[in-house]
Amino acid sequence: MLENLEKIKVRFQEELNAVNSTEELEKIRVSFLGKKGLVTDELKNLRNLDAEAKKTAGMQVNLLKEEIEEVIVTYQKQLEEKEYQKQIESTERFDFSIPSSVEVGTLHPITIVQKQIEDIFKTMGFIIEDGLEIQTEYNNFEAVNIPKNHPARDMQDTYYLENGQLLKTHTSAAQNTIMRKYGAPKPGEPLKVLFPGRCFRNENIDASHENTFFQLEGMMIGDDISISNLIYFMKVLLTEVFQRDVKVRLRPGFFPFVEPGFELDINCLICGGDGCPTCKQSGWLELLPCGMIHPNVLRMGGIDPDKYTGFAFGLGLTRLAMMKYNIKDIRLFNSGNLKQLKQFTK
Ligand code: DAH
C-alpha cells in the first residue's frame, strides 16, 4: 500500500507539471480526490487491512490527501491570477492616438452666437453667470419691480409649476440673485455681469413665436454709470456680432425694472430696411430692450440707489441668431433638424 501511495504522489506531481488551466487542474483533482479518484480508492482499500496496518496506512493516506489538497489550492490561486492577467492583456484598449472616424457634431446656432457674445463681453471685463430655469415668483417678478397684479404680468404668459414656482419668463429673473451674490461694487470697479439663459412663455407657436427661447441679459452697476455707457456697450456688441456697422435707433420703451427704459432697434438685416414679414414691414427690428436699472430693483438687490446706478439689457438671443443666419422660421431651433442646424458653423 505504501508503495502505491508513493506512485500516486509521483504521478500527481507529473500530471500537475503539465497543467495549464484551472479546468485541467480540476480534472486532476477529480482523478485523485474525487469519488472514484486514486486517493479515494486507497482510502476504501483500508478496510481490507487489519487494525494495526489500518492505523499506519490510514495516517499515510490521509497525509497524502491533505498534501494534494493543499497543493491544488495553491496552484488554483496561481492559475487564476495568471488567467486574470491574460484576460486583462487581451482586453481591447482604447487607443487615443488613432484618428477618429466618428462624425463630429456642430454647435447649435444659438450656442455659437451666445459664445461669441460671451467672448466679446469677457474681454470687456464681464463675468458670465448662469441663471436658474426654475425660479420663484419673487425673483421673476417682484424683485424686478413687477408687483402682484401689475399689468406687466399679463404680458408674459407664465408656466407656473405645482410647487408655486415657475419657469423663468425672462433672464431678468436672475438680477436680484446676482446683485446679492456680488454686493455693492467698490469705487472704480463696477459690477459687470452677463447672464444668458433659456426662457419660457406660454405662447402659441408659429414661424416667429416659440414657447422656449433664449435671452442674454447684461448688467453693469457702479458709482458712475450712465446712458452713454449703455449705448457704447450695445454698439460694440452689435458691431462684433454682425461684423459690420449696424444701423440702430433708440426709442423710449417701458419696462418696470428700468427707468428710463429704451427699445434699441436694428435695421432689419433680412430685407435691408425695405420691409418684410420678419420686421412686419417696418424695416426695423426690436432687438435690444434696455435701460437704467430702476432704483427699486437696486434696493431689493441690496444695493443703495443713492450711491450707485447701473444699466441692464435683455437681448433676444434667439432673434439675434435668426438675424445673423437669416433663419426665417423660429421653429427650426428646437426642431432637432440636424441636417439644417449643422449648416451654421460660425
Ligand atoms: N426682461 C425683458 C423681457 O423679457 C427684457 C429686458 C428689457 C431686460 C429691458 C432688461 C431691460 O434688462 O433693461 O421682455
Side-chain angles (χ1 to χ4, degrees), residues 23-72:
E23 282 131 44
E24 285 171 11
L25 185 67
E26 175 60 11
K27 273 188 201 148
I28 292 187
R29 194 192 62 77
V30 172
S31 69
F32 284 83
L33 304 177
K35 261 192 199 157
K36 291 178 186 155
L38 295 175
V39 178
T40 320
D41 280 349
E42 291 306 317
L43 279 169
K44 282 181 199 156
N45 288 341
L46 287 175
R47 65 180 159 214
N48 304 326
L49 302 177
D50 60 51
E52 199 47 34
K54 204 188 239 177
K55 211 173 165 191
T56 33
M59 240 167 67
Q60 297 297 332
V61 185
N62 276 313
L63 263 177
L64 179 65
K65 189 179 168 223
E66 278 168 26
E67 209 176 302
I68 291 181
E69 274 170 353
E70 217 171 282
V71 171
I72 287 181

Side-chain angles (χ1 to χ4, degrees), residues 23 72 107 211 223 267 346:
E23 282 131 44
I72 287 181
L107 293 177
N211 57 14
D223 44 20
N267 207 13
K346 55 180 176 187

Side-chain angles (χ1 to χ4, degrees), residues 9-33:
K9 208 170 170 178
V10 172
R11 189 166 156 193
F12 174 70
Q13 199 53 55
E14 278 170 6
E15 289 194 18
L16 191 70
N17 288 342
V19 157
N20 266 321
S21 68
T22 45
E23 282 131 44
E24 285 171 11
L25 185 67
E26 175 60 11
K27 273 188 201 148
I28 292 187
R29 194 192 62 77
V30 172
S31 69
F32 284 83
L33 304 177

Side-chain angles (χ1 to χ4, degrees), residues 156 170 172 175 201 215 217 255 257-258 289-291 312-314:
Q156 301 177 338
H170 55 175
S172 310
Q175 284 194 8
R201 285 184 207 172
Q215 287 187 343
E217 185 115 352
F255 303 96
F257 29 91
V258 279
C290 51
F313 62 90

Side-chain angles (χ1 to χ4, degrees), residues 93-149:
R93 297 295 179 88
F94 189 76
D95 183 350
F96 291 95
S97 64
I98 295 176
S100 161
S101 57
V102 179
E103 201 185 337
V104 179
T106 52
L107 293 177
H108 191 279
I110 290 183
T111 312
I112 299 174
V113 183
Q114 179 182 323
K115 278 172 126 359
Q116 206 177 1
I117 300 174
E118 284 179 8
D119 287 345
I120 302 163
F121 276 79
K122 272 195 247 175
T123 63
M124 298 192 289
F126 277 70
I127 305 163
I128 313 293
E129 275 285 341
D130 203 9
L132 298 171
E133 288 183 353
I134 293 178
Q135 277 289 4
T136 57
E137 255 197 288
Y138 177 81
N139 278 339
N140 198 78
F141 294 124
E142 271 101 70
V144 282
N145 210 28
I146 314 177
K148 283 206 163 70
N149 308 322

Side-chain angles (χ1 to χ4, degrees), residues 144 146 155-156 169-173 175 195 199 201 213 215-219 230 253-263 288-293 311-316:
V144 282
I146 314 177
M155 289 176 355
Q156 301 177 338
T169 62
H170 55 175
T171 40
S172 310
Q175 284 194 8
F195 38 113
C199 304
R201 285 184 207 172
F213 55 95
Q215 287 187 343
L216 185 143
E217 185 115 352
M219 243 177 6
L230 167 64
F254 172 73
F255 303 96
F257 29 91
V258 279
E259 181 56 39
F262 306 100
E263 286 283 6
L288 235 175
C290 51
M292 299 305 291
I293 302 175
F311 70 74
F313 62 90
L315 174 76

